[in-house]
Amino acid sequence: MAAAGWTRAAEAQKPTIVPDPLPEASKRLNIAEIEANARIPLSWIATFNAGVIPGTGESYSYQLTYDNFVTAERAELRLITVEDVEFGAEAEDRQDNGARVTVYVLPQDLVAGFDREDASDLPPPLGTGADNMEREVFLKVYADADETDEFRYQTFTWQFEYDTRPPPQPTVTKVEPGENRLQLSWEISDDADVATYNIVYCPDISALDVDEEMLMADTATTGGVLPCAQPTVGGTIDGMFGSAGVQAGLAVGVKAALAVRAVDEAGNVGPLSNVVIAEPVPVSDFWELYKESGGAEEGGFCFIATAAHGSYAHPAVQVLRWFRDAVLIPAPGGRAIVDTYYRWSPPMARRVAADEDLAAATRVALVFGVLLALAALAMLGFGAGFVVVAVARRVKLAWAAALLVLLIGSTAEARRPDSTIESFGLGYEFKGGPYLPDLGNTGGGTEGNTAFQDIFESNPNELFTIGLDVQLYRGIGTAGVGASFGFMQFVGRGRYASGENVGEIAQDTTVFNIAPLTLTGFYRFDWLADQIPLPFVPYVKGGLAYYVWWVTTGTGDVARFEQPGNGADDLAGRGGKFGLTGTVGMAIMLNVFEPASAQSLHAATGVRGTYLFGELQANKIDGFGSAGFDLSDVTWNIGLYLEM
């Protein structure tokens, strides 16, 4: 016990050292950092337990040492500065207890040692010998002159590494042209010191006096040399990959000089590879190939522009006419609304036609009008269905009553909990299934344009969708309106548009992006599932769909097609397609199988019903018969539905 107490008392005499964190980047030195000899700050705060040793409460002494490069002995670091003292001053003998001390060391001193006049203490030439080593800087803090008393001093060690060998020179093996881009391939080094690669290039050498044959042959032992003074540096490529593309500054028909270099973990940059010369070439992406093949799609998002300009046959006008005839005219007061509209609309229409800004605003407003009209029509159809169900309920057919008596048992626990939202309910839908537009069917769909098959083939891709339902009626089933958003891509490669490889597959990627948007009305016959332990819930949906689409090129830009004729604007490969959607499906209410878990889930999250479902979906997305893309399809989906 006495020995243990003495040990604790002795340990209490030691100072406490709290160093400032040293950035990782400062712990590993590369060739450039060593040659630049930028100072590395080392900071700490040391405190003593005042009173344990008389006189230790005010100041202390410290010593910095390092392991010598050649002899492995520790030598004092003298080239340090404390606090604001100019670099090169000797360290002060004593420092204030509890104050922050900052000293600076030089990268060259960490590599070579202190005595740089002694040739034996210098490092080997960069890139040879012991090129990757660890060095340590030791701090000793003590309170009195007896710095050898192990119970009265404390130490701390900073670890450093340096690397003076650059990574090896890579070799470019192939360069493949694309449109406004070039794809390079090179041999991957098996040297563990390679961390990343960079493509370094001159985007335009047409104005330079370049001997191309000599430039590509001159690799020497130190690597190739690019002809421009300030080459462009491409992105960082992981050392595991031996191929990448560049595009900044490149243009079709303009020669560029390119090379590759490696970078190691310490940040050392290796020599350039052999230099290659190439030029981007025209490549037809999906949009261009489609238009070159006679495709009628014009793109654009103003799907009711014709209606705003007075086309009586436009589909948006037809929707509004249906709304007028089916909802407004039969309703009390609806006829007066229609009469008022026809009285005041002619002068307003003339004003809209004369003002393009006002016409654009009117088109936007008409979008919401069409959507609301379709929702009202859907609810009208569901209302008729509800009347039929109510009549059937009043008839109380004998066989249905008998069946219900037999099936209704102790089902209270299987019933869905009451909604926490009094006036309406919410539903969240997550689903996915295959999608292949009619445009992608064999033979090019209704247009006969085979550009889709040529680039993407005729295989469906996954389309994932999320949706939100608002339940406006809960009685004999549930009805309401819903909206959904989906996204999917078809990815392929473009075709060379000129040269000896015309028509062949190019390296450039082209992507057909599709984002379906829907606004639908729905009816779910879930009343029976609450009455008896029957988990099946059939449902139907129907309404308006709008598919946003856009095509991208190998550089990630939106594709454009150059129209023939002087002064004709390029057609951007993006737009939207209007249409209708309908769904029939069957959901399985999971509450029936685990009523206790369903009650717990409702208490914790407010979810009153959980369903797995499968459905058949038919979409007619062709702009109501307009020319161009036909994005229609008939497909199936499976998913999860959560009801609040």
Side-chain angles (χ1 to χ4, degrees):
M1 292 295 293
W6 177 84
T7 301
R8 287 193 296 270
E11 290 290 336
Q13 300 176 18
K14 288 189 173 187
T16 298
I17 300 176
V18 181
D20 289 352
L22 189 65
E24 290 296 324
S26 299
K27 296 180 182 179
R28 184 158 190 166
L29 306 173
N30 59 36
I31 298 172
E33 292 168 333
I34 294 171
E35 292 178 341
N37 215 25
R39 299 186 301 172
I40 303 173
L42 304 178
S43 299
W44 72 87
I45 295 175
T47 56
F48 285 81
N49 186 0
V52 173
I53 303 175
T56 62
E58 297 179 357
S59 62
Y60 66 89
S61 297
Y62 72 90
Q63 183 184 59
L64 278 173
T65 58
Y66 69 99
D67 56 332
N68 186 273
F69 180 81
V70 177
T71 64
E73 297 175 352
R74 295 182 180 181
E76 183 177 355
L77 282 174
R78 298 177 185 175
L79 292 180
I80 57 178
T81 181
V82 180
E83 295 292 350
D84 295 327
V85 180
E86 290 294 324
F87 178 75
E90 295 291 334
E92 298 179 8
D93 291 338
R94 300 184 70 82
Q95 295 300 317
D96 292 337
N97 188 9
R100 174 174 279 100
V101 179
T102 301
V103 302
Y104 296 89
V105 296
L106 293 175
Q108 288 182 355
D109 292 323
L110 289 174
V111 174
F114 165 68
D115 190 2
R116 301 189 63 82
E117 297 180 359
D118 183 355
S120 65
D121 204 24
L122 294 177
L126 298 182
T128 62
D131 55 72
N132 195 337
M133 295 186 62
E134 294 184 358
R135 300 302 298 271
E136 294 179 333
V137 174
F138 303 92
L139 169 67
K140 177 191 282 188
V141 172
Y142 52 95
D144 51 30
D146 188 6
E147 62 186 68
T148 62
D149 187 344
E150 62 178 315
F151 294 110
R152 296 190 179 184
Y153 70 79
Q154 188 63 273
T155 62
F156 181 79
T157 303
W158 285 278
Q159 299 281 348
F160 291 90
E161 296 181 32
Y162 67 86
D163 186 346
T164 62
R165 181 174 68 91
Q169 174 190 6
T171 300
V172 175
T173 58
K174 183 170 61 174
V175 56
E176 295 176 278
E179 188 166 83
N180 300 322
R181 65 185 301 273
L182 293 168
Q183 184 82 15
L184 267 69
S185 298
W186 58 90
E187 294 180 354
I188 300 176
S189 174
D190 56 1
D191 193 312
D193 202 29
V194 175
T196 60
Y197 292 100
N198 293 133
I199 298 177
V200 187
Y201 61 102
C202 305
D204 183 359
I205 62 171
S206 58
L208 303 177
D209 185 13
V210 176
D211 185 331
E212 296 184 13
E213 292 185 2
M214 182 178 293
L215 182 66
M216 291 189 290
D218 184 16
T219 60
T221 57
T222 58
V225 178
L226 290 169
C228 55
Q230 295 181 329
T232 301
V233 179
T236 299
I237 303 105
D238 191 280
M240 297 176 58
F241 300 100
S243 180
V246 289
Q247 63 190 57
L250 299 179
V252 169
V254 178
K255 288 186 177 181
L258 308 94
V260 178
R261 67 189 183 193
V263 182
D264 65 18
E265 292 287 353
N268 292 309
V269 178
L272 288 177
S273 69
N274 55 307
V275 177
V276 294
I277 296 177
E279 62 183 67
V281 299
V283 174
S284 293
D285 52 57
F286 167 57
W287 177 239
E288 290 175 314
L289 190 62
Y290 168 83
K291 295 299 293 182
E292 291 164 0
S293 302
E297 178 62 52
E298 297 294 320
F301 296 98
C302 294
F303 56 90
I304 61 170
T306 308
H309 287 290
S311 173
Y312 189 77
H314 193 276
V317 177
Q318 298 298 323
V319 171
L320 294 174
R321 289 178 63 228
W322 295 338
F323 178 71
R324 177 199 64 189
D325 296 338
V327 177
L328 291 180
I329 292 178
R335 185 67 185 178
I337 295 175
V338 173
D339 291 340
T340 302
Y341 166 76
Y342 283 114
R343 183 181 304 115
W344 293 99
S345 61
M348 295 176 62
R350 287 191 293 270
R351 183 175 179 183
V352 169
D355 189 331
E356 182 56 35
D357 292 336
L358 185 57
T362 303
R363 295 178 193 127
V364 174
L366 282 175
V367 172
F368 296 99
V370 170
L371 295 180
L372 291 173
L374 284 170
L377 289 171
M379 290 305 299
L380 183 64
F382 286 129
F386 298 152
V387 171
V388 174
V389 173
V391 171
R393 186 183 183 190
R394 289 180 178 275
V395 172
K396 297 182 179 179
L397 297 177
W399 63 269
L403 179 62
L404 290 177
V405 170
L406 291 174
L407 292 178
I408 295 175
S410 179
T411 60
E413 291 186 354
R415 291 177 59 89
R416 288 173 297 170
D418 292 333
S419 174
T420 56
I421 308 173
E422 294 183 359
S423 59
F424 60 91
L426 296 176
Y428 301 93
E429 180 180 77
F430 311 89
K431 67 181 181 181
Y435 172 69
L436 179 66
D438 189 61
L439 173 70
N441 290 330
T442 303
T446 56
E447 270 194 298
N449 190 310
T450 61
F452 188 100
Q453 294 80 32
D454 294 340
I455 290 183
F456 306 118
E457 301 181 345
S458 294
N459 300 317
N461 275 8
E462 297 82 7
L463 171 60
F464 295 99
T465 304
I466 59 175
L468 171 65
D469 289 345
V470 179
Q471 300 174 351
L472 303 177
Y473 169 82
R474 291 196 298 267
I476 305 179
T478 304
V481 295
S484 69
F485 168 77
F487 179 72
M488 61 88 59
Q489 294 179 317
F490 289 98
V491 181
R493 295 192 180 278
R495 298 295 187 268
Y496 286 116
S498 64
E500 59 182 14
N501 297 323
V502 62
E504 295 184 6
I505 298 175
Q507 280 293 319
D508 284 11
T509 298
T510 179
V511 182
F512 187 27
N513 305 273
I514 303 176
L517 308 173
T518 67
L519 180 67
T520 57
F522 68 89
Y523 172 72
R524 306 171 65 86
F525 185 61
D526 50 15
W527 175 78
L528 196 59
D530 278 336
Q531 309 306 314
I532 60 175
L534 186 66
F536 301 108
V537 177
Y539 62 91
V540 293
K541 294 182 180 181
L544 178 71
Y546 187 63
Y547 281 30
V548 178
W549 61 268
W550 67 99
V551 180
T552 55
T553 67
T555 58
D557 300 318
V558 173
R560 306 189 76 86
F561 173 70
E562 184 177 349
Q563 298 188 95
N566 294 331
D569 293 333
D570 291 349
L571 280 180
R574 59 190 174 192
K577 215 67 176 178
F578 211 14
L580 298 174
T581 179
T583 302
V584 294
M586 180 66 73
I588 300 177
M589 184 190 291
L590 302 183
N591 299 44
V592 174
F593 301 101
E594 288 290 342
S597 299
Q599 294 285 347
S600 299
L601 180 64
H602 177 257
T605 65
V607 175
R608 59 190 293 259
T610 306
Y611 306 80
L612 293 177
F613 65 86
E615 63 184 28
L616 291 176
Q617 183 177 8
N619 305 292
K620 188 63 174 175
I621 315 297
D622 61 354
F624 295 106
S626 62
F629 285 165
D630 187 347
L631 304 181
S632 306
D633 76 313
V634 177
T635 186
W636 54 267
N637 296 292
I638 58 174
L640 175 69
Y641 186 80
L642 302 177
E643 182 182 23
M644 307 296 287

